[in-house]
Amino acid sequence: MTPQRRAVAAVLRGENVHLSAEVVLSRARQELPELSMATVYNTLNELVAMGEILEIANGSGPKRYDPNVLIAHHHLVCTSCGSLQDVAIPASNPRLNADELHGYLITGTEIVFQGLCPRCR
Amino acid sequence: MTPQRRAVAAVLRGENVHLSAEVVLSRARQELPELSMATVYNTLNELVAMGEILEIANGSGPKRYDPNVLIAHHHLVCTSCGSLQDVAIPASNPRLNADELHGYLITGTEIVFQGLCPRCR
DNA sequence: TTTACTGCAAACCGTTTGCAGTTCC
DNA sequence: GGAACTGCAAACGGTTTGCAGTAAA
């Protein structure tokens, strides 16, 4: 646990936090100005590998990192400004029936609700 | 309609087709060897803008292009090899209730089922 | 002294863009 | 001649990597 990793981890804390590497860097630099981007990426990737944070791959644009791993949830993304909102798993959780599985073994289901956020609509 | 565009469009035809720009190029070059990557991307982006094909943004790795725009569907992706399968919209289509909308106006819902394909499991 | 980690800079991959050279009306 | 399009090569943005230097065990 180096100061760098602590600074990165400290930024990724809380609910409804979805930060890009860039933003993680600038925020963590408030604590540790000499922090480098390489170290941010190294740390983020380790945190993802350890299961401490989630990686949210946005279509184009940078990946976002989400520290909320304890409560399973989906995302609501604004197609205009890119802002993200956590949403609870809906009551009607989608399932595939046998003939739609095409022989796959399902390991996860991810729902992305697209829409316009209050500011953009 | 130039030969280049025709060649690209011809490759993106059928069901369960999810090709990267790279693959589109190499296949279209069998018809038109002098085709360039720039033109492939130009054409793909126009087709997407025209609503003729869908862009599937994979986490890391190249985008995939899907000509199946007529039948609404979701995707089943192999987390090991990246292969993709179209799946029908499940009977229980997820919906958010008012308090989960957070003021967003929903415009679309995308489900990605992750799993292991028959070859990888 | 070995090991792990950092920061820098350069490389990387997928995609986009500037531009000069077609082609077609 | 003007508009639309091509191919090349260079630029781009986000991410990763090689490497020399530093700190910690």
Side-chain angles (χ1 to χ4, degrees):
Chain A
M1 250 302 158
T2 65
Q4 287 83 348
R5 298 188 183 191
R6 205 171 310 116
V8 168
V11 167
L12 286 164
R13 204 155 273 163
E15 291 207 6
N16 253 295
V17 172
H18 313 99
L19 303 178
S20 65
E22 185 90 30
V23 173
V24 170
L25 175 65
S26 71
R27 295 210 188 161
R29 269 191 174 159
Q30 291 171 13
E31 283 281 307
L32 205 74
E34 68 277 25
L35 180 64
S36 76
M37 191 51 122
T39 297
V40 169
Y41 274 112
N42 285 345
T43 306
L44 289 174
N45 287 339
E46 278 163 27
L47 290 171
V48 170
M50 291 190 296
E52 298 283 328
I53 61 175
L54 294 173
E55 199 180 67
I56 309 172
N58 198 353
S60 33
K63 289 176 187 160
R64 310 288 260 313
Y65 296 89
D66 180 346
N68 182 4
V69 289
L70 294 180
I71 301 152
H73 62 282
H74 295 301
H75 291 113
L76 179 47
V77 52
C78 176
T79 49
S80 167
C81 71
S83 72
L84 271 171
Q85 256 291 328
D86 285 358
V87 290
I89 303 277
S92 58
N93 208 13
R95 302 202 65 222
L96 294 178
N97 45 41
D99 61 322
E100 283 165 343
L101 283 177
H102 297 100
Y104 281 60
L105 175 68
I106 302 287
T107 57
T109 302
E110 228 182 272
I111 310 180
V112 177
F113 297 93
Q114 291 131 314
L116 290 170
C117 72
R119 290 200 322 143
C120 290
R121 65 190 292 188
Chain B
M1 253 301 159
T2 66
Q4 287 83 348
R5 299 190 183 189
R6 204 170 311 116
V8 169
V11 167
L12 286 163
R13 204 155 274 163
E15 291 207 6
N16 254 294
V17 172
H18 313 98
L19 303 177
S20 65
E22 182 98 22
V23 174
V24 169
L25 175 65
S26 73
R27 295 211 187 161
R29 269 190 175 159
Q30 291 172 11
E31 282 281 306
L32 206 74
E34 68 276 26
L35 180 64
S36 75
M37 191 50 122
T39 298
V40 169
Y41 274 113
N42 285 344
T43 306
L44 289 174
N45 287 339
E46 279 162 28
L47 290 171
V48 170
M50 290 191 296
E52 298 283 329
I53 61 176
L54 294 172
E55 201 180 64
I56 308 171
N58 198 353
S60 34
K63 291 176 186 160
R64 309 288 256 321
Y65 297 88
D66 179 346
N68 181 3
V69 290
L70 294 179
I71 300 153
H73 63 282
H74 295 301
H75 291 114
L76 180 48
V77 53
C78 176
T79 51
S80 168
C81 70
S83 73
L84 271 171
Q85 255 291 327
D86 286 357
V87 290
I89 303 277
S92 59
N93 208 15
R95 303 204 64 223
L96 295 177
N97 46 40
D99 62 321
E100 284 166 345
L101 283 176
H102 298 100
Y104 280 60
L105 174 69
I106 302 288
T107 56
T109 302
E110 227 181 273
I111 309 180
V112 177
F113 298 92
Q114 291 132 314
L116 289 171
C117 72
R119 292 200 321 144
C120 290
R121 64 189 295 187

